C-alpha cells in the first residue's frame, strides 16, 4: 500500500510540477476568465455603449395614421424608433448608409394588410424578429383602439392563460424550459469533458507507461513494486493531476463569471445547476476514467517506444469520438431505442447515461442496472488490463495489438 | 540465509527458456550465472525476483518465497539499463528507494556516500540524460544497493564500462560481499567471473551444462591447453588424435587437447622432432570452458 501511494505521489507530483502542466493550466485559466468576460470586454472597445440601435421608420401606408409615431413613443424596448418624414424611403436609406441610423423600417399597405420592409446589414435576423414583434404589437393596439374596446376589455384580450404541464405517469417529472436548457448545457459540457478526460488523460497514462518502458526504467520499478499496484498508482496519480487541472478550470469559470457580472453565466452557476446532476456527472466521469484509463494503461504497456503510443491508443480514441458523436446527435432525441441500448455499453455509458438522465427520465431500475454494468465492467477491464500490463511491461519489440496481448498473456501464465 | 532454486522451469508457449535448473547460493558468497545470449539468464533472474512466475519449480530466500512484500531484501541491476532520463539523480533515487521502503533522509545520506565513493558528488542534481553511459551505470548500481539488500542480483554489471570504472565497481561489489551481501551475477566477461566467483552455473538453452565450484571445475575439466615454442613448424600436430584446436602465432602455438594423455603424446612427438624452448600444460581458462560448453550451435 505504501508503494501504491509513493507511485501516486510520484506520478501526480511529476505532472503537476512539470512546466507543461503549469503553463497549460495557467493558459486555460486565463483563457476562460477572458472568455467569460468577452461580452463586457467587447462592449468596452466598441464606442456606442448601451445605446439602443436606432431605427428610422418610414410610413408609406394608406390611412393608417400615426403608426410611426406610436412606434417612436414606445419607451421600453430594445430599439430607438424614430419617425422619418413620410414616403422618403430613399432619403432614409441614404441616411442609414451614412450611419445616422442602424436600420430602416418601411411600412406600406393598409391596416388589414400591413407590409413591413426591414433594411439592415443582413446578418441580424434576431433583430428583425424583435422589430416584427414590436410592429405587430403596435398594429394590434391601433386596431383594438379603432374598434373602441375599453381598457378592461383590452385586459381580458391580452391576459395570459395559465398553462400547466403535468406528467402522465405517477411520480413523473415535467421539464420546464429552464430545466431543459440547464440539462442541455450540462450534458453538452459533460460530454465534452468526458471526451477530453478520455483523450488527454488516457494518452497521458499510455505515454507515461510507454516512456518508462522505453527508458527501460520499468524493469527496475517492477522489481520493487507489483506492476498491478504500479498501474493503479499511475491511473490514480494522473487522475489526481487531471482533477487539479479540471478544478482550476472550473474555478476560473466561476471567478470569471463573477467578475463579468453577466446574469446569464451567473445563473448557470447558481440557480440553474442541479446538485444531483453534478453528482451524477462526477460519478460518471470517474467511472468512465477507470474504464478508459485501464485500457490506456494496457495499451501503453504493449508498446516499446513512446512514439508508438498514438498508434496504440487509436482504437480508444475512436471509441471516444464515436461516443461524442452519438451523444451530440442524441441530445435532441434522448429517448430513442438506439440511445437507450447504447447507454448499456460501458464505453458509451458515461456520456449516454448522463444524456438520458439530463434530458429525459430514466427509470430507477434501469439506472441501477446500467451503473452495475459500468462498475462491473470497469473492474473486469482493469483486471484484464492488469494481467496484460504485468506481462507487457517486460515485453519489447514491434507493436502488434493481437500478438502483444497474446504474448503478454503467455508471459503471465503460471501453469502450462 | 540462502537462496535456493529448485528445478526452475519457464516455458513461453512452445519455447523453453529455462529448463529445470537447481542451485543453492550461501549467504555472503558470490555466484556466477553464465551462458551465451539467449541461454536463459535474464529469465532466471526475473523468476528469482518474482517478475515472472515459474512454469515449474520454486525459488526461496531463507526458506520463503520471494514476493513483493520482501522487495526491500533484494537489489537488482537489470541488464537493460534504464533510469528516468528527465529526472535528476537525487529525484529518481528518492523515488526508486522509497519503493524499497527507505525514508528520504536515509536515501540522501546513502546517496551522498555512494556518489563520493564513485568520485562523482557533483552529479546529485544533474539529470540522467546529461550523464555519460558509464556514469549512468554508477547511478544504476546505486539504485540496486542503496537500501543495503541482503541479496543482490547483477545482470551484466561490468558491460560497457572502461577499465577504471570497471575496477571501481568490482571493488564495490567485493566490499558488499565482505559485509555479508549475497551476490548473484551474470557476465560475458569470463575474467570477471574468474576473479569474483566461487561457484557458478553455466546455462545453454535453458539447461545447466556446468555447475559447481570454479576451482574444482577447472581442475577436473578434461580439456587442457598447451603452449609450445619450438624452432620448427608445428603444423603437423593437427593430425594428432585428441587435438581440438591448434592456434599458431608468431612465436608460439596454443593447442587445446582433450585430456592430459594427449598432452603427453604431443610432448613425445615434438621431443623426437628437435629442441623445444617452451612446453607448458595449463588449466583451461573459463573462457575456453565457456566456448567449449556454451558455445557451438546454441550461440546466437
Amino acid at each position: 500500500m505504501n508503494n501504491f501511494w509513493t507511485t501516486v505521489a510520484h506520478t501526480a507530483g511529476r505532472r503537476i510540477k512539470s512546466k507543461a502542466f503549469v503553463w497549460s493550466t495557467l493558459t486555460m485559466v486565463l483563457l476562460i476568465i477572458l472568455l467569460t468576460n468577452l461580452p463586457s470586454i467587447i462592449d468596452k472597445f466598441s464606442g456606442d455603449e448601451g445605446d439602443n440601435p436606432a431605427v428610422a421608420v418610414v410610413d408609406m401606408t394608406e390611412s393608417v395614421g400615426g403608426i410611426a409615431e406610436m412606434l417612436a413613443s414606445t419607451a421600453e424596448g430594445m430599439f430607438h424608433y424614430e419617425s422619418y418624414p413620410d414616403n422618403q424611403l430613399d432619403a432614409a436609406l441614404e441616411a442609414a448608409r451614412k450611419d445616422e441610423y442602424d436600420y430602416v423600417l418601411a411600412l406600406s399597405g393598409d391596416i388589414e394588410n400591413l407590409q413591413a420592409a426591414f433594411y439592415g446589414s443582413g446578418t441580424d435576423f434576431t433583430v428583425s424578429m424583435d422589430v416584427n414583434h414590436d410592429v405587430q404589437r403596435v398594429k394590434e393596439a391601433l386596431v383594438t383602439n379603432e374598434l373602441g374596446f375599453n381598457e378592461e376589455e383590452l385586459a381580458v384580450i391580452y391576459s395570459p392563460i395559465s398553462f400547466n404541464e403535468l406528467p402522465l405517469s405517477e411520480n413523473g417529472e415535467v421539464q420546464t424550459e429552464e430545466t431543459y436548457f440547464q440539462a442541455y448545457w450540462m450534458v453538452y459540457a459533460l460530454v465534452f469533458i468526458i471526451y477530453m478526460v478520455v483523450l488527454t488523460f488516457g494518452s497521458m497514462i499510455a505515454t507515461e507507461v510507454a516512456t518508462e518502458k522505453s527508458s527501460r526504467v520499468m524493469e527496475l520499478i517492477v522489481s520493487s513494486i507489483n506492476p498491478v499496484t504500479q498501474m493503479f498508482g499511475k491511473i490514480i496519480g494522473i487522475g489526481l493531476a487531471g482533477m487539479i487541472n479540471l478544478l482550476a478550470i472550473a474555478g476560473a469559470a466561476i471567478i470569471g463569471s463573477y467578475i463579468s457580472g453577466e446574469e446569464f453565466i451567473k445563473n448557470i452557476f447558481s440557480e440553474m445547476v442541479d446538485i444531483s446532476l453534478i453528482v451524477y456527472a462526477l460519478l460518471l466521469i470517474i467511472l468512465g476514467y477507470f474504464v478508459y484509463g485501464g485500457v490506456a494503461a494496457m495499451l501503453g504497456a504493449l508498446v516499446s517506444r513512446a512514439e508508438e503510443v498514438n498508434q496504440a491508443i487509436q482504437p480508444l480514441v475512436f471509441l471516444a469520438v464515436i461516443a461524442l458523436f452519438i451523444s451530440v446527435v442524441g441530445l435532441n432525441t434522448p429517448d430513442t431505442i438506439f440511445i437507450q441500448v447504447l447507454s448499456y455499453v460501458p464505453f458509451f455509458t458515461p456520456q449516454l447515461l448522463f444524456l438520458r438522465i439530463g434530458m429525459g427520465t430514466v427509470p430507477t431500475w434501469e439506472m441501477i442496472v446500467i451503473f452495475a454494468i459500468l462498475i462491473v465492467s470497469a473492474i473486469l477491464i482493469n483486471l484484464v488490463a492488469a494481467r496484460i500490463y504485468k506481462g507487457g511491461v517486460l515485453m519489447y519489440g514491434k507493436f502488434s495489438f493481437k500478438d502483444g496481448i497474446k504474448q503478454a498473456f503467455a508471459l503471465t501464465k503460471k501453469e502450462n | 540465509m540462502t537462496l535456493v532454486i529448485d528445478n526452475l522451469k519457464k516455458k513461453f508457449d512452445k519455447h523453453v527458456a529455462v529448463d529445470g535448473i537447481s542451485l543453492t547460493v550461501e549467504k555472503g558468497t558470490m555466484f556466477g550465472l553464465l551462458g551465451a545470449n539467449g541461454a536463459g539468464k535474464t529469465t532466471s533472474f526475473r523468476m528469482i525476483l518474482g517478475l515472472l512466475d515459474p512454469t515449474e519449480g520454486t525459488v526461496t530466500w531463507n526458506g520463503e518465497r520471494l514476493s513483493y512484500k520482501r522487495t526491500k531484501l533484494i537489489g537488482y541491476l537489470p541488464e537493460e539499463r534504464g533510469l528516468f532520463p528527465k529526472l535528476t539523480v537525487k529525484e529518481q533515487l528518492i523515488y526508486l528507494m522509497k519503493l524499497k521502503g527507505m525514508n528520504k533522509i536515509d536515501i540522501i545520506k546513502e546517496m551522498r556516500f555512494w556518489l563520493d565513493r564513485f568520485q562523482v558528488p557533483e552529479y546529485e542534481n544533474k539529470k540522467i540524460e546529461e550523464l555519460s553511459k558509464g556514469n549512468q551505470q554508477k547511478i544504476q548500481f546505486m539504485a540496486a544497493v542503496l537500501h543495503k539488500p541482503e541479496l543482490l542480483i547483477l545482470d551484466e554489471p561490468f558491460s560497457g564500462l572502461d577499465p577504471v570504472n570497471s575496477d571501481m565497481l568490482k571493488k564495490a561489489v567485493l566490499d558488499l560481499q565482505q559485509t555479508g551481501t549475497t551476490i548473484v551475477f551474470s557476465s560475458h566477461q569470463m575474467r570477471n567471473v574468474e576473479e569474483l566467483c566461487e561457484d557458478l552455473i553455466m546455462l545453454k538453452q535453458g539447461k545447466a551444462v556446468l555447475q559447481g565450484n570454479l576451482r574444482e571445475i577447472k581442475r577436473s575439466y578434461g580439456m587442457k591447453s598447451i603452449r609450445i615454442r619450438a624452432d620448427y613448424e608445428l603444423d603437423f600436430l593437427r593430425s594428432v588424435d585428441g587435438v581440438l584446436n591448434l592456434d599458431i602465432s608468431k612465436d608460439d602455438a596454443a593447442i587445446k587437447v582433450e585430456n592430459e594423455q594427449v598432452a603427453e603424446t604431443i610432448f613425445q612427438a615434438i621431443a623426437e622432432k628437435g629442441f623445444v624452448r617452451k612446453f607448458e600444460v595449463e588449466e583451461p581458462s573459463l573462457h575456453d570452458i565457456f566456448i567449449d560448453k556454451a558455445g557451438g550451435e546454441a550461440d546466437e
Side-chain angles (χ1 to χ4, degrees):
Chain A
M1 214 52 198
N2 244 337
N3 278 349
F4 172 73
W5 290 114
T6 307
T7 305
V8 171
H10 174 77
T11 311
R14 258 183 79 192
R15 218 141 263 295
I16 292 165
K17 275 189 252 161
S18 81
K19 281 196 192 103
F21 183 89
V22 172
W23 282 113
S24 70
T25 308
L26 273 181
T27 315
M28 278 300 269
V29 164
L30 284 178
L31 205 67
I32 282 179
I33 291 181
L34 207 71
L35 275 179
T36 43
N37 286 289
L38 207 54
S40 50
I41 292 171
I42 289 175
D43 277 354
K44 283 235 169 64
F45 282 102
S46 61
D48 45 11
E49 218 174 305
D51 268 357
N52 287 336
V55 184
V57 186
V58 184
D59 189 354
M60 301 186 289
T61 56
E62 299 153 26
S63 68
V64 196
I67 188 162
E69 287 73 23
M70 264 190 87
L71 265 173
S73 66
T74 46
E76 83 263 33
M78 304 195 299
F79 303 100
H80 174 69
Y81 293 102
E82 215 170 288
S83 178
Y84 204 78
D86 291 357
N87 293 319
Q88 296 191 11
L89 178 59
D90 290 338
L93 290 176
E94 197 52 44
R97 282 185 201 112
K98 284 181 191 151
D99 279 344
E100 283 168 41
Y101 301 101
D102 294 298
Y103 306 100
V104 174
L105 177 68
L107 299 168
S108 56
D110 53 35
I111 194 79
E112 279 163 35
N113 187 17
L114 191 62
Q115 288 160 6
F118 186 65
Y119 297 87
S121 59
T123 57
D124 17 37
F125 67 96
T126 52
V127 174
S128 66
M129 267 166 57
D130 290 330
V131 170
N132 187 352
H133 191 74
D134 285 349
V135 175
Q136 184 73 31
R137 242 186 33 222
V138 170
K139 184 205 142 183
E140 280 167 16
L142 273 175
V143 173
T144 46
N145 216 11
E146 216 161 84
L147 290 174
F149 290 123
N150 61 29
E151 273 190 30
E152 269 171 40
E153 287 164 325
L154 280 177
V156 173
I157 290 172
Y158 287 116
S159 70
I161 52 167
S162 100
F163 190 86
N164 286 321
E165 283 182 86
L166 292 169
L168 208 53
S169 61
E170 280 179 65
N171 300 328
E173 279 178 48
V174 162
Q175 275 194 325
T176 62
E177 196 182 336
E178 194 189 345
T179 57
Y180 176 82
F181 276 108
Q182 162 196 342
Y184 190 91
W185 288 113
M186 274 201 71
V187 169
Y188 219 105
L190 180 95
V191 162
F192 267 104
I193 288 173
I194 291 182
Y195 179 72
M196 265 172 48
V197 164
V198 165
L199 278 197
T200 52
F201 302 161
S203 72
M204 266 187 213
I205 294 174
T207 311
E208 172 113 358
V209 175
T211 312
E212 280 182 10
K213 263 188 82 177
S214 70
S215 70
R216 304 268 176 170
V217 72
M218 188 58 105
E219 183 155 0
L220 192 59
I221 295 172
V222 296
S223 75
S224 303
I225 171 172
N226 191 324
V228 178
T229 315
Q230 191 227 11
M231 177 182 118
F232 288 119
K234 269 195 187 320
I235 293 179
I236 301 275
I238 287 178
L240 277 183
M243 270 302 191
I244 289 171
N245 195 353
L246 283 183
L247 283 180
I249 290 172
I254 291 170
I255 292 168
S257 70
Y258 274 96
I259 294 174
S260 77
E262 284 269 334
E263 284 304 311
F264 171 68
I265 298 169
K266 250 191 198 166
N267 279 348
I268 287 185
F269 284 105
S270 50
E271 300 157 30
M272 280 171 67
V273 170
D274 184 346
I275 294 296
S276 73
L277 268 184
I278 290 191
V279 172
Y280 278 125
L282 279 179
L283 209 61
L284 287 167
I285 288 177
I286 291 168
L287 285 171
Y289 175 69
F290 274 104
V291 168
Y292 279 90
V295 179
M298 175 191 94
L299 292 173
L302 285 177
V303 301
S304 316
R305 289 178 293 133
E307 300 87 77
E308 289 172 331
V309 168
N310 281 336
Q311 188 199 343
I313 63 166
Q314 206 114 67
L316 204 62
V317 174
F318 269 129
L319 275 179
V321 171
I322 291 169
L324 179 72
F325 268 120
I326 296 175
S327 15
V328 170
V329 171
L331 267 172
N332 298 315
T333 53
D335 287 329
T336 47
I337 300 283
F338 174 66
I339 301 287
Q340 285 183 10
V341 171
L342 283 182
S343 69
Y344 283 82
V345 180
F347 285 101
F348 299 145
T349 302
Q351 291 99 321
L352 296 187
L353 180 61
F354 188 71
L355 182 131
R356 291 183 60 197
I357 294 172
M359 306 300 291
T361 46
V362 185
T364 318
W365 69 266
E366 223 187 316
M367 203 116 93
I368 292 169
V369 171
I370 296 177
F371 263 107
I373 291 177
L374 184 61
I375 290 168
V376 169
S377 50
I379 292 170
L380 283 181
I381 284 169
N382 278 283
L383 284 179
V384 173
R387 171 93 190 266
I388 291 172
Y389 186 91
K390 192 170 179 233
V393 290
L394 293 174
M395 235 162 48
Y396 289 91
K398 207 173 165 294
F399 171 69
S400 149
F401 196 73
K402 213 179 91 204
D403 292 351
I405 288 178
K406 226 174 93 189
Q407 214 181 330
F409 265 108
L411 268 170
T412 51
K413 213 181 244 175
K414 285 190 183 175
E415 305 299 327
N416 222 333
Chain B
M1 276 182 284
T2 18
L3 175 72
V4 180
I5 294 176
D6 185 33
N7 191 30
L8 198 63
K9 213 179 239 187
K10 183 70 187 177
K11 254 167 139 185
F12 299 122
D13 268 345
K14 278 168 199 140
H15 171 66
V16 183
V18 175
D19 196 359
I21 62 168
S22 300
L23 56 91
T24 305
V25 184
E26 297 293 338
K27 178 184 159 52
T29 59
M30 208 165 325
F31 190 92
L33 189 64
L34 313 182
N37 299 323
K41 288 169 294 177
T42 300
T43 305
S44 303
F45 281 151
R46 285 177 173 175
M47 283 192 282
I48 294 174
L49 290 160
L51 296 184
L52 290 175
D53 293 312
T55 312
E56 261 176 55
T58 55
V59 179
T60 57
W61 172 249
N62 214 9
E64 269 181 74
R65 262 206 67 179
L66 282 168
S67 70
Y68 282 110
K69 282 188 195 117
R70 309 174 77 205
T71 169
K72 60 184 76 159
L73 303 180
I74 311 174
Y76 178 41
L77 177 75
E79 182 184 10
E80 293 283 357
R81 313 278 190 264
L83 296 160
F84 297 99
K86 303 274 177 211
L87 293 191
T88 64
V89 169
K90 189 167 141 189
E91 283 168 337
Q92 52 201 311
L93 285 176
I94 286 176
Y95 173 55
L96 293 170
M97 291 300 112
K98 267 189 177 171
L99 291 180
K100 291 288 190 191
M102 284 178 87
N103 66 46
K104 203 170 161 179
I105 297 165
D106 289 343
I107 295 169
I108 291 174
K109 207 181 93 200
E110 286 293 319
M111 174 190 72
R112 296 208 169 124
F113 167 80
W114 278 97
L115 283 175
D116 280 342
R117 169 159 192 171
F118 285 144
Q119 298 163 12
V120 285
E122 68 276 18
Y123 288 170
E124 183 175 326
N125 289 312
K126 275 223 165 125
K127 283 184 184 167
I128 281 294
E129 59 187 358
E130 295 167 18
L131 304 185
S132 73
K133 241 186 156 180
N135 284 323
Q136 287 185 18
Q137 195 154 334
K138 289 178 188 166
I139 309 300
Q140 186 99 50
F141 182 77
M142 286 167 62
V145 300
L146 227 59
H147 59 298
K148 302 194 171 88
E150 291 177 5
L151 175 63
L152 180 59
I153 291 174
L154 307 170
D155 204 348
E156 297 289 344
F158 307 109
S159 73
L161 284 180
D162 65 43
V164 177
N165 283 320
S166 185
D167 276 356
M168 198 185 273
L169 202 65
K170 216 177 284 174
K171 182 131 195 331
V173 172
L174 281 169
D175 285 352
L176 283 168
Q177 188 203 2
Q178 296 281 301
T179 58
T181 312
T182 309
I183 299 165
V184 180
F185 84 102
S186 76
S187 182
H188 286 132
Q189 287 149 293
M190 296 304 135
R191 266 198 37 227
N192 290 323
V193 182
E194 279 179 308
E195 278 173 50
L196 296 169
C197 287
E198 293 110 83
D199 296 290
L200 61 86
I201 186 167
M202 197 180 283
L203 300 181
K204 181 179 180 178
Q205 290 179 320
K207 283 198 181 76
V209 286
L210 196 67
Q211 188 168 6
N213 182 278
L214 177 62
R215 244 166 278 157
E216 277 167 31
I217 287 173
K218 278 185 160 187
R219 203 176 307 138
S220 61
Y221 205 74
M223 194 181 78
K224 303 281 169 189
S225 35
I226 310 168
R227 254 172 212 289
I228 305 172
R229 223 161 111 198
D231 292 338
Y232 43 85
E233 283 293 317
L234 292 166
D235 228 18
F236 71 98
L237 289 174
R238 242 182 249 282
S239 54
V240 177
D241 270 352
V243 170
L244 299 170
N245 186 20
L246 178 68
D247 192 8
I248 300 173
S249 62
K250 220 160 56 190
D251 33 75
D252 64 359
I255 306 170
K256 287 203 178 64
V257 296
E258 266 176 18
N259 50 45
E260 241 172 62
Q261 210 63 50
V262 184
E264 276 175 38
T265 317
I266 287 176
F267 182 72
Q268 275 154 18
I270 54 170
E272 277 167 27
K273 196 111 181 175
F275 181 61
V276 178
R277 293 187 184 277
K278 178 180 168 190
F279 186 92
E280 192 180 7
V281 179
E282 296 168 333
E283 303 243 285
S285 71
L286 196 53
H287 182 89
D288 296 332
I289 297 176
F290 183 85
I291 290 176
D292 184 40
K293 282 287 185 184
E297 75 273 32
D299 215 353
E300 284 172 14

